[in-house]
Amino acid sequence: MNEQMMKKNNMRIFPLYKMFSWDLLFYYAISFLFLTQVKKFTASQVLLTDSFYAIFRVGFQIFCINITDLLGKQKSLLIGNLLVSISILMIIVGNGFYLLILYSLIQAIGYGLKGICEPTLLSDSIPKSSFSSKIYSKIDAKGSSFYYVFDAISSATTGFLYVVNPYIPMIICFICCLISTIISLAFEEPYYEIKHTNHKSVSFITYYRNILTTFKQIIKSNRLKSLLTFSLCFYGILSTFGTLRSSILVDIGVPEQYFGIIVAIMQTISSLSASKQHWFHNKLRNRALSWFSLSLVSSFIITGLLVICNISFIVSLMSCLLTIVLVGIIKGPYYTLIQKYLNNFSNTNVNTKIFAINSLLENFGRVMLSFFASFLLSITTTSYTFIIIGSIFFVIYIFLLNYMKTKVGLSPKEYSQEDLIFWNQK
């Protein structure tokens, strides 16, 4: 198979692959219930586990880059999917908080590898032209839409399966992980003619010094620095929302069998909005990230206040559902757009490092917010946690978005040389 055929093959199967592998299916709708009711952890411990996961993502990010450079993106992607499958099997058969931490470690390395390889494998498979960015967004959005549809269907049934036997959705989740592992075998390295560097002849210190040099170049770009800072904060909020969502639904008394239906609604909306990511980009332009962030944190504050007021169950439920719907609308286009923005003015040699540092910073944000939310849940209610987190990040985003006005969304001629350094490299 020649290089052109390899690239076409990768682009063809990527949406199907993403449908199964972007995130855990049959899991998040009942994960909070499974860990608290079956495994007997507290809500604070569940968030603490999320913090350990994010810490491991940060701590092993350089290791994941090393593995990817050594083995190539296709083999590293395969290993990543295998590790995620093993982690789910561990949570099914294991017990105890220390085993849960080990589960977090294995899954963190798996998703660390996947987070580096998936976007760059697709990007490297698209022929370079003025339409490359649009093609990337179209293929990635198609995969996201497939995932959200599948996740909506799975979430709608997960709650009822959980009531029958809480282990059923977990076993199905494990099977889906195995399917994504099998599909990853079909990918090919886009640049098969590149000879792999003999890493044994390069000193360990020199190798990491080279990576650090690239990171320093990335940080010099005001454009990338702005996008990475935004991503750090926003990913922390989205990742923590999954646990906070379940916790507040439990607090207001929503029956557990309806958790899956609620998540299904959110994922269906995400599927529709993901397919319209180009519309969001064209309609909102430079205001897309502003709209995403300020709308989200404002909804946190309003929902927390309405639940505290305890006007009625219906008011509290509708407020929570509207916030969940809003998260669904935002999640759909956000992940595709932020990857598109990060990949702009980049090249094949450096995009792995850009996505790696983005993943590192995202999980650093997840660590900080998970620890903070875990602390808040240990001393107050979920509704107050919503208000505190929403208020803090509302202030943060006001200042950050003001800083980004002159740094992001410009034409190439308006950027400094530091912002275009990777674009100009051959």
Side-chain angles (χ1 to χ4, degrees):
M1 186 183 296
N2 60 38
E3 182 181 349
Q4 186 177 3
M5 292 297 294
M6 286 180 175
K7 290 182 176 181
K8 287 183 178 180
N9 174 70
N10 289 350
M11 290 189 287
R12 179 177 56 83
I13 65 176
F14 188 85
L16 176 65
Y17 166 79
K18 190 166 186 177
M19 181 179 74
F20 282 98
S21 69
W22 191 20
D23 214 340
L24 300 174
L25 296 161
F26 292 91
Y27 180 78
Y28 291 110
I30 52 85
S31 61
F32 183 82
L33 298 173
F34 185 81
L35 293 174
T36 55
Q37 295 180 0
V38 179
K39 299 298 180 177
K40 305 302 180 184
F41 297 110
T42 65
S44 180
Q45 285 177 320
V46 173
L47 268 173
L48 194 61
T49 302
D50 288 343
S51 300
F52 276 110
Y53 168 85
I55 289 172
F56 293 140
R57 282 293 299 271
V58 172
F60 283 87
Q61 191 64 43
I62 300 297
F63 170 76
C64 291
I65 297 174
N66 196 346
I67 292 297
T68 303
D69 285 348
L70 180 65
L71 300 180
K73 294 169 185 175
Q74 190 276 331
K75 291 180 181 178
S76 299
L77 185 62
L78 174 62
I79 294 172
N81 282 291
L82 279 172
L83 291 176
V84 172
S85 302
I86 292 171
S87 71
I88 295 301
L89 184 61
M90 288 178 61
I91 201 66
I92 292 173
V93 302
N95 286 291
F97 188 66
Y98 290 112
L99 185 66
L100 195 62
I101 294 175
L102 181 59
Y103 144 84
S104 299
L105 170 61
I106 294 175
Q107 190 171 106
I109 297 175
Y111 273 109
L113 292 169
K114 283 161 59 67
I116 294 171
C117 298
E118 288 169 348
T120 54
L121 189 65
L122 175 60
S123 178
D124 292 349
S125 299
I126 298 172
K128 299 305 175 184
S129 70
S130 58
F131 300 102
S132 297
S133 180
K134 290 183 179 180
I135 296 172
Y136 177 93
S137 298
K138 183 178 179 180
I139 296 173
D140 188 68
K142 185 178 180 180
S144 300
S145 183
F146 284 174
Y147 166 80
Y148 284 128
V149 169
F150 192 10
D151 194 40
I153 296 171
S154 68
S155 296
T157 59
T158 297
F160 297 98
L161 291 172
Y162 180 86
V163 172
V164 175
N165 187 319
Y167 283 92
I168 293 177
M170 297 298 294
I171 293 172
I172 299 176
C173 175
F174 173 67
I175 293 172
C176 289
C177 291
L178 290 180
I179 292 173
S180 66
T181 303
I182 293 171
I183 296 175
S184 66
L185 286 167
F187 284 113
E188 301 282 352
E189 285 290 337
Y191 296 93
Y192 69 95
E193 76 280 4
I194 293 179
K195 296 179 181 180
H196 293 290
T197 303
N198 183 3
H199 287 260
K200 293 181 180 179
S201 64
V202 180
S203 73
F204 186 84
I205 295 175
T206 301
Y207 180 79
Y208 285 100
R209 185 180 293 142
N210 292 337
I211 292 176
L212 182 60
T213 300
T214 305
F215 282 0
K216 287 179 179 179
Q217 288 180 302
I218 292 172
I219 296 301
K220 286 180 181 179
S221 166
N222 288 326
R223 174 184 167 275
L224 284 174
K225 188 162 53 179
S226 299
L227 289 171
L228 291 169
T229 303
F230 183 94
S231 182
L232 180 153
C233 298
F234 203 71
Y235 183 82
I237 298 173
L238 288 180
S239 61
T240 306
F241 176 75
T243 299
L244 293 178
R245 175 196 66 210
S246 299
S247 184
I248 202 166
L249 290 176
V250 169
D251 287 353
I252 66 176
V254 176
E256 58 193 29
Q257 60 265 34
Y258 296 113
F259 276 44
I261 295 176
I262 292 171
V263 175
I265 293 172
M266 183 183 75
Q267 297 300 71
T268 300
I269 293 170
S270 293
S271 173
L272 295 174
S273 63
S275 64
K276 299 295 183 181
Q277 55 82 26
H278 192 62
W279 179 89
F280 277 92
H281 175 70
N282 290 336
K283 189 73 174 178
L284 298 174
R285 291 294 179 180
N286 296 345
R287 296 178 287 110
L289 297 182
S290 300
W291 188 88
F292 290 163
S293 55
L294 294 180
S295 298
L296 182 60
V297 295
S298 297
S299 71
F300 270 46
I301 298 171
I302 294 170
T303 296
L305 288 172
L306 289 176
V307 173
I308 287 174
C309 292
N310 196 25
I311 300 172
S312 68
F313 171 75
I314 296 298
V315 171
S316 297
L317 177 61
M318 290 305 298
S319 177
C320 291
L321 290 179
L322 287 174
T323 297
I324 291 170
V325 167
L326 180 62
V327 171
I329 294 172
I330 291 171
K331 278 175 57 180
Y334 169 73
Y335 287 115
T336 296
L337 289 177
I338 195 66
Q339 288 186 351
K340 174 183 175 180
Y341 298 156
L342 289 170
N343 198 51
N344 285 342
F345 310 120
S346 179
N347 63 68
T348 301
N349 295 326
V350 80
N351 60 9
T352 298
K353 309 298 188 301
I354 292 175
F355 284 111
I357 195 172
N358 180 59
S359 179
L360 188 151
L361 291 174
E362 281 181 341
N363 284 283
F364 179 77
R366 181 174 180 174
V367 169
M368 296 297 100
L369 195 55
S370 294
F371 272 126
F372 183 55
S374 178
F375 167 73
L376 291 176
L377 286 176
S378 68
I379 62 173
T380 188
T381 63
T382 312
S383 52
Y384 277 109
T385 301
F386 264 74
I387 295 172
I388 294 170
I389 290 176
S391 300
I392 291 174
F393 278 94
F394 187 88
V395 175
I396 290 174
Y397 274 119
I398 289 296
F399 286 100
L400 178 58
L401 292 169
N402 183 63
Y403 173 79
M404 291 173 63
K405 279 183 180 180
T406 58
K407 309 293 189 302
V408 179
L410 310 178
S411 63
K413 64 182 180 181
E414 295 177 288
Y415 284 114
S416 66
Q417 185 61 36
E418 287 78 10
D419 288 316
L420 302 177
I421 183 173
F422 302 123
W423 191 40
N424 294 331
Q425 290 175 359
K426 300 297 182 181

